[in-house]
Amino acid sequence: MNGPNTSDRPGNAGPRGVPLVVTADEELLDDLLRLCAAAGTEPEVCHGTPERGGSWERAPLVVVGDDAVPRLRGAGRRPGVLLVGRNPDDQEIWRRAVGIGADEVIHLPDGEAWLVDRIADAVEGTGRQALAVGVIGGRGGAGASTLACALAVSSARAGRRTMLIDADPLGGGLDVLFGGEGAEGLRWPAFSRSRGRVAGGALEASLPELRSLRLLSWDRGESVVIPPEAMRAVLSAARRCGGVVVVDLPRRLDETVTEALAQLDLGLLVVPAELRAVAAARQLLSAMGGQLRDLRTVVRGPCGPGLEDEEIARLLGLPLAGQLLPEPGLAGSRPGGDPVPGESPRGPLARFCSAFWERALADGGGVAV
């Protein structure tokens, strides 16, 4: 059992913001350390009697093994204490729980999933969720991935906690746009079997960090199917981290994409200023059937006579988020040395993104960073 902070009598020097595990049962401790790891945290461990004024009072959650109850008679009452046992037929454990002021009694292994969720809730807190923005192309090659990258880069440059999610398995991987295909960190295949809850902190820490943001992309291996449950678990975890989450969406609609749409606060539909693109975008909107609560259009210009940005928005029946002008020198592919979308703070992409975030965050009442 290596890694956790341990002491017989923890004092004021213990770590803040991590659960406290109180037990001398080595087998139970192994299980609790495993469950804490699944929740994305490393607990402080107390084998003896917790001291007043120490981690017993400060920890966001205290998990007590049934063996430790006799040693807690001198500890003060506090909320957020869980008593863990193994024998569901032991009715006396409820009396012992009352004796130490425990909020809940959990029996392992049946209560493992519940306990992981409870630990993750305590560690991650209940702060404001991230503002989640999805980007989708009105037709193929509309520039949705480029805008998604630029939005994430612009947000991170402004100092916001930013996560970019590549939800298009056939797009080649957004990490390529950043020149980060070799960067260390997990890709979508590692999360394809995720169910239930994914710890937000663990997700964030596991992803490649590029341009001061975290990116969940695809690898270059065989195609992997992401079930709706995995998409729900990953996006929910990303939102619990706070800040901003940008999702690059594919143009196809299936159950997994529908789940992604349900997680968004607003969406941007990128439509080039041409009649064919408008027609394709209208077909996409018909297929989406209003699944996105707040969808706005971004017109990729330049616009020609008779097809201005406001006219395109009117034809689509969507609010206009703005017109996006071409950016010289941006080919949208990193290997040849092209700049990352949005990297130039004075380019049209960066200016559009900065203005967009200013409006969107004001509309959403601000965002925790």
Side-chain angles (χ1 to χ4, degrees):
M1 293 177 296
N2 298 320
N5 301 281
T6 63
S7 68
D8 287 334
R9 298 178 65 85
N12 291 324
R16 294 179 180 269
V18 299
L20 174 65
V21 171
V22 183
T23 184
D25 183 329
E26 294 295 325
E27 184 177 351
L28 178 60
L29 179 57
D30 282 341
D31 285 337
L32 293 177
L33 292 177
R34 171 175 55 83
L35 297 178
C36 286
T41 188
E42 182 179 291
E44 181 178 359
V45 176
C46 175
H47 298 301
T49 301
E51 287 187 345
R52 288 180 177 271
S55 298
W56 175 266
E57 282 82 8
R58 294 198 317 270
L61 185 73
V62 178
V63 183
V64 178
D66 194 28
D67 67 288
V69 169
R71 299 192 296 277
L72 296 179
R73 293 192 179 118
R77 296 298 180 101
R78 55 149 291 169
V81 175
L82 309 179
L83 181 58
V84 180
R86 293 189 182 278
N87 182 7
D89 297 324
D90 178 10
Q91 298 301 314
E92 288 298 306
I93 194 173
W94 297 97
R95 180 183 57 80
R96 296 192 291 275
V98 172
I100 64 171
D103 297 336
E104 302 279 351
V105 172
I106 303 99
H107 290 101
L108 302 184
D110 292 346
E112 286 191 354
W114 185 92
L115 184 54
V116 169
D117 284 352
R118 186 68 177 81
I119 294 170
D121 282 338
V123 172
E124 293 178 5
T126 56
R128 182 182 296 144
Q129 285 198 332
L131 178 68
V133 178
V135 186
I136 188 169
R139 67 155 169 80
S145 295
T146 298
L147 178 57
C149 288
L151 285 169
V153 168
S154 176
S155 173
R157 184 168 53 235
R160 302 183 192 98
R161 196 172 191 172
T162 304
M163 197 175 299
L164 176 58
I165 308 293
D166 184 356
D168 185 0
L170 302 180
L174 291 186
D175 52 353
V176 176
L177 280 177
F178 286 83
E181 56 270 29
E184 292 186 4
L186 300 183
R187 268 66 172 180
W188 263 117
F191 300 97
S192 61
R193 296 186 179 181
S194 297
R195 301 292 187 274
R197 182 183 181 116
V198 174
L203 171 68
E204 185 179 38
S206 72
L207 300 180
E209 183 174 6
L210 303 166
R211 297 304 194 280
S212 300
L213 60 90
R214 296 288 180 168
L215 171 61
L216 176 55
S217 188
W218 304 84
D219 61 15
R220 259 49 65 183
E222 295 183 2
S223 178
V224 175
V225 175
I226 303 299
E229 297 83 359
M231 181 63 72
R232 180 188 311 119
V234 167
L235 287 183
S236 295
R239 297 202 64 188
R240 288 195 302 274
C241 290
V244 164
V245 174
V246 180
V247 184
D248 182 30
L249 296 162
R251 294 190 69 251
R252 74 176 194 283
L253 294 175
D254 55 23
E255 291 183 355
T256 300
V257 176
T258 298
E259 182 57 51
L261 292 173
Q263 297 275 352
L264 301 178
D265 295 301
L266 65 91
L268 297 176
L269 179 66
V270 183
V271 183
E274 57 188 41
L275 284 175
R276 185 181 177 190
V278 173
R282 292 185 66 171
Q283 290 180 324
L284 178 63
L285 287 173
S286 177
M288 289 175 66
Q291 295 180 54
L292 197 52
R293 297 183 297 270
D294 184 355
L295 181 61
R296 312 171 192 180
T297 187
V298 176
V299 176
R300 203 188 77 193
C303 296
L307 199 60
E308 301 291 341
D309 51 6
E310 292 182 356
E311 176 64 12
I312 291 174
R314 186 191 66 80
L315 290 172
L316 295 174
L318 296 175
L320 178 65
Q323 182 182 154
L324 186 57
L325 297 175
E327 184 156 334
L330 184 66
S333 179
R334 239 340 241 173
D338 302 308
V340 173
E343 188 174 36
S344 173
R346 297 184 179 181
L349 262 175
R351 293 200 304 271
F352 174 92
C353 293
S354 295
F356 168 79
W357 287 125
E358 183 177 351
R359 295 192 304 270
L361 296 175
D363 292 345
V367 63
V369 295

